Amino acid sequence: GQNIDQPTEMTATEGAIVQINCTYQTSGFNGLFWYQQHAGEAPTFLSYNVLDGLEEKGRFSSFLSRSKGYSYLLLKELQMKDSASYLCAVSAYSGAGSYQLTFGKGTKLSVIP
Amino acid sequence: KAGVTQTPRYLIKTRGQQVTLSCSPISGHRSVSWYQQTPGQGLQFLFEYFSETQRNKGNFPGRFSGRQFSNSRSEMNVSTLELGDSALYLCASSGTPTSDTGELFFGEGSRLTVL
């Protein structure tokens, strides 16, 4: 099975930088994803890391260390609209030539003025 | 292009009943995954279909079942409903099986309440 841990809640100030961590334990690792989910809405894809290092996309960056089973999502220049839940998800080999995506429970980020 | 469409959006059932939820993926997408989302457990994987074949199944009892049609539309069924089945059921489609980039496009979900 897989074990994915991320903080339940975080609070940060508008304009600041926040880092949301995710640790995982799995075999057959195939990639790590971050999704954003605003309250009452569907999750939307933010980033994908399969190799170690940092992937930058505008104000959002995602980092992966496969040896440590660790990833983080970095949000810069926080805006009020960034208040949402951030879901870490790990793809891993599940047998018979297929892969399964497993989500963490999500981190609820509140951005305050 | 149109996104993932799920119907119905809201429904209320009583214990012991059964329910069928429908999902129409993005046009051209052949992979459909289903997830159950609850406040305590987050998003939990139910099953994935690709080209009408179930590729993966999560750790849910046999009361939860699904299928995919030749046009890639998918349905999931829950029989003998229990109070604990109350949740948001999310469908997601992908252009390829999740072994690739894994980017999923989610529908708005079907919110099931079991009384």
Side-chain angles (χ1 to χ4, degrees):
Chain A
Q2 297 186 47
N3 190 30
I4 302 173
D5 288 316
Q6 50 181 134
T8 304
E9 294 185 34
M10 297 182 71
T11 301
T13 306
E14 190 177 14
I17 299 173
V18 70
Q19 177 174 311
I20 303 174
N21 296 324
C22 172
T23 58
Y24 64 91
Q25 293 175 308
T26 189
S27 56
F29 177 82
N30 187 51
L32 188 140
F33 308 82
W34 286 95
Y35 283 80
Q36 180 190 58
Q37 185 177 25
H38 286 101
E41 298 183 11
T44 55
F45 172 82
L46 285 178
S47 68
Y48 168 66
N49 294 69
V50 66
L51 299 176
D52 290 351
L54 189 68
E55 295 281 343
E56 296 185 80
K57 190 186 295 185
R59 295 188 299 112
F60 292 8
S61 302
S62 57
F63 172 83
L64 175 67
S65 169
R66 289 173 296 172
S67 62
K68 295 182 179 179
Y70 168 70
S71 172
Y72 67 72
L73 180 69
L74 193 71
L75 292 75
K76 303 176 185 176
E77 301 169 13
L78 279 172
Q79 302 176 8
M80 299 300 290
K81 67 179 182 179
D82 297 329
S83 293
S85 286
Y86 292 86
L87 311 176
C88 173
V90 174
S91 175
Y93 185 65
S94 59
S98 63
Y99 297 80
Q100 181 173 313
L101 193 65
T102 302
F103 284 81
K105 294 184 179 181
T107 298
K108 183 179 180 181
L109 174 66
S110 298
V111 180
I112 58 176
Chain B
K1 57 183 175 181
V4 178
T5 303
Q6 291 188 245
T7 56
R9 290 292 312 281
Y10 303 91
L11 65 166
I12 300 174
K13 294 285 187 178
T14 57
R15 280 180 297 175
Q17 288 187 310
Q18 72 161 11
V19 65
T20 299
L21 309 178
S22 178
C23 172
S24 294
I26 291 173
S27 178
H29 284 191
R30 295 159 62 192
S31 171
V32 174
S33 300
W34 287 90
Y35 290 85
Q36 181 195 66
Q37 187 172 36
T38 58
Q41 297 300 316
L43 269 167
Q44 291 188 286
F45 174 74
L46 282 158
F47 22 67
E48 179 199 353
Y49 290 88
F50 182 80
S51 295
E52 301 179 69
T53 301
Q54 186 179 85
R55 291 175 55 87
N56 272 304
K57 190 177 192 303
N59 294 324
F60 279 81
R63 300 186 296 108
F64 292 80
S65 62
R67 58 178 176 169
Q68 186 179 33
F69 302 96
S70 58
N71 62 358
S72 294
R73 190 177 70 86
S74 177
E75 288 182 347
M76 67 162 283
N77 183 276
V78 188
S79 63
T80 320
L81 283 167
E82 300 176 359
L83 295 179
D85 297 333
S86 294
L88 179 67
Y89 290 88
L90 289 164
C91 166
S93 77
S94 173
T96 58
T98 56
S99 57
D100 290 337
T101 66
E103 179 175 354
L104 299 177
F105 297 84
F106 284 87
E108 296 291 330
S110 293
R111 184 165 295 281
L112 170 65
T113 301
V114 182
L115 302 178

